[in-house]
C-alpha cells in the first residue's frame, strides 16, 4: 500500500552515500571529460542536494535546442550511452549520485563518441524539481531504481506520489515516463501510484512491453538470473 507516502519527505533520499573512490581509468575519464559533460550545479546542505535557486541554461549546456530526456539514476551509463548514441537528435540529462559511476559513464561516452549527454552529480528528484520548468521534457526515465523493500524504508522510494507530481508537471503534453524494475513489489507499487495519478495515462493500460531501445544492463541481467521478472511501465502526460 502506498497511501502512507503522500509527499516527498524533505531530506529523505532514494540512495545511500557510498565510498567515492575511483579506479585509475575512471579517474582518467573524469579528468578528461568531466569539464565538458558534467554540469556543475550549486548544492544545498548536502553535496548531493541541489540549491533551491540553482539554474542551468540547458540550451547553452548542449549548444543547441533539441528534444530533451531526463534519466534519474543512470548508474554507470551502460544503457544510457547506447540509447543516446541511437538518438543523436535528442539531448539527455542524467542524474547520478555515485561519482565512480558517473566517471564510467564519461568513459563510455568518450569511447563511443557520444556527446548528447550532460551529467549532474546530484539527487535527481530534487534536480528535476529545481532545474526544469513545467512542460519542457519529452521523456523521463527511471530504470531499475533502488527497490527499498522494507516497509519502514518505503518513504525512500524514488517513485512516490509527490515525485509523480513533479514528473507529470515537467513532462510536455504527450511526454512519456518510462520505468522498469525487476522487483515485483516495487513494480506493483509504481503501478498503483501512477495509475492513480490524474495527469498520467498508462499507455498500455497494463504492463508495457519491454522498452526495445534499452540494452540489458547488469542490473536487469542479475534480476533475470535470479528468476525475477522485469516489469516495464509507460505513462503519457495527459493533454
Ligand atoms: C540499480 S542502479 C540502476 C542504474 C541504471 N538505471 C541501469 O538500469 O543500469 C540505480 C542507480 O540510481 C542511483 N540513484 C538512486 N537514487 C538517485 C537519485 N535520487 N538521484 C540520482 N541517482 C540516484 C544510484 O546511485 C544507482 O547508481
Amino acid at each position: 500500500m502506498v497511501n502512507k507516502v503522500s509527499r516527498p519527505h524533505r531530506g529523505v533520499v532514494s540512495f545511500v552515500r557510498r565510498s567515492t573512490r575511483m579506479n585509475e581509468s575512471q579517474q582518467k575519464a573524469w579528468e578528461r571529460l568531466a569539464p565538458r559533460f558534467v554540469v556543475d550545479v550549486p548544492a544545498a546542505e548536502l553535496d548531493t542536494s541541489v540549491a533551491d535557486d540553482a539554474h542551468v541554461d540547458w540550451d547553452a549546456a548542449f549548444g543547441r535546442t533539441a528534444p530533451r530526456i531526463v534519466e534519474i539514476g543512470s548508474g554507470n551509463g551502460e544503457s544510457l550511452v547506447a540509447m543516446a548514441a541511437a538518438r543523436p537528435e535528442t539531448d539527455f540529462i542524467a542524474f547520478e549520485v555515485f561519482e565512480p559511476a558517473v566517471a564510467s559513464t564519461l568513459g563510455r561516452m568518450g569511447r563511443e563518441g557520444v556527446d548528447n549527454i550532460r551529467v549532474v552529480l546530484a539527487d535527481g528528484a530534487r534536480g528535476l524539481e529545481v532545474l526544469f520548468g513545467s512542460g519542457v521534457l519529452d521523456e523521463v526515465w527511471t530504470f531499475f531504481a533502488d527497490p527499498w523493500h522494507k516497509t519502514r524504508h518505503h518513504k525512500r522510494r524514488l517513485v512516490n506520489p509527490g515525485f509523480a507530481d513533479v514528473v507529470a508537471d515537467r513532462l510536455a503534453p504527450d511526454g512519456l515516463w518510462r520505468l522498469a524494475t525487476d522487483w515485483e513489489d516495487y513494480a506493483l507499487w509504481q503501478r498503483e501510484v501512477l495509475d492513480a495519478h490524474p495527469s498520467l495515462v498508462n499507455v498500455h493500460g497494463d504492463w508495457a512491453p519491454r522498452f526495445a531501445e534499452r540494452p540489458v544492463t547488469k542490473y536487469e541481467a542479475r534480476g533475470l538470473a535470479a528468476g525475477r521478472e522485469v516489469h516495464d511501465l509507460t505513462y503519457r502526460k495527459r493533454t
Side-chain angles (χ1 to χ4, degrees):
M1 290 299 289
V2 297
N3 51 3
K4 276 191 176 167
V5 183
S6 56
R7 283 286 170 273
H9 295 232
R10 197 105 186 160
V12 175
V13 291
S14 62
F15 51 87
V16 178
R17 303 303 310 280
R18 287 181 279 169
S19 132
T20 56
R21 191 171 298 173
M22 296 190 211
N23 64 31
E24 207 183 312
S25 74
Q26 290 168 331
Q27 194 87 46
K28 280 192 184 142
W30 184 273
E31 279 159 22
R32 196 163 64 85
L33 298 169
R36 187 159 162 222
F37 296 125
V38 175
V39 176
D40 275 328
V41 170
E45 57 287 352
L46 292 174
D47 60 0
T48 49
S49 60
V50 175
D52 290 345
D53 59 352
H55 171 78
V56 175
D57 178 343
W58 293 110
D59 285 353
F62 285 99
R64 66 176 183 177
T65 303
R68 243 158 237 167
I69 295 178
V70 165
E71 178 170 29
I72 297 181
S74 48
N76 60 17
E78 193 181 349
S79 59
L80 174 65
V81 175
M83 292 189 282
R87 292 205 205 184
E89 75 295 344
T90 298
D91 287 336
F92 293 81
I93 296 118
F95 287 91
E96 173 54 58
V97 287
F98 189 45
E99 205 169 354
V102 171
S104 295
T105 303
L106 296 172
R108 282 176 205 279
M109 290 175 67
R111 286 193 298 279
E112 295 179 30
V114 169
D115 64 1
N116 54 335
I117 300 173
R118 298 294 176 273
V119 189
V120 182
L121 186 59
D123 175 9
R126 190 76 190 122
L128 191 65
E129 227 177 325
V130 175
L131 301 175
F132 298 91
S134 287
V136 299
L137 296 176
D138 291 75
E139 300 193 18
V140 172
W141 293 351
T142 53
F143 297 138
F144 302 93
D146 304 279
W148 295 106
H149 294 295
K150 293 182 182 158
T151 308
R152 71 190 156 87
H153 287 152
H154 283 179
K155 60 180 178 294
R156 302 190 68 150
R157 286 180 161 177
L158 178 64
V159 178
N160 64 46
F163 177 68
D165 285 345
V166 178
V167 175
D169 180 74
R170 297 327 186 238
L171 282 174
D174 285 330
L176 297 177
W177 182 1
R178 299 183 190 275
L179 307 94
T181 179
D182 57 327
W183 292 103
E184 191 172 28
D185 66 320
Y186 198 17
L188 291 166
W189 160 292
Q190 294 182 350
R191 193 156 162 194
E192 191 180 337
V193 172
L194 303 187
D195 278 0
H197 198 285
S199 305
L200 296 170
V201 181
N202 183 335
V203 173
H204 300 276
D206 200 339
W207 304 112
R210 190 182 181 288
F211 181 34
E213 287 179 38
R214 194 183 72 242
V216 178
T217 67
K218 68 174 178 183
Y219 294 103
E220 183 162 3
R222 200 184 289 163
L224 293 169
R228 293 193 294 273
E229 198 181 334
V230 173
H231 289 92
D232 277 60
L233 285 166
T234 309
Y235 289 85
R236 181 169 46 76
K237 167 81 175 281
R238 211 182 276 280
T239 48

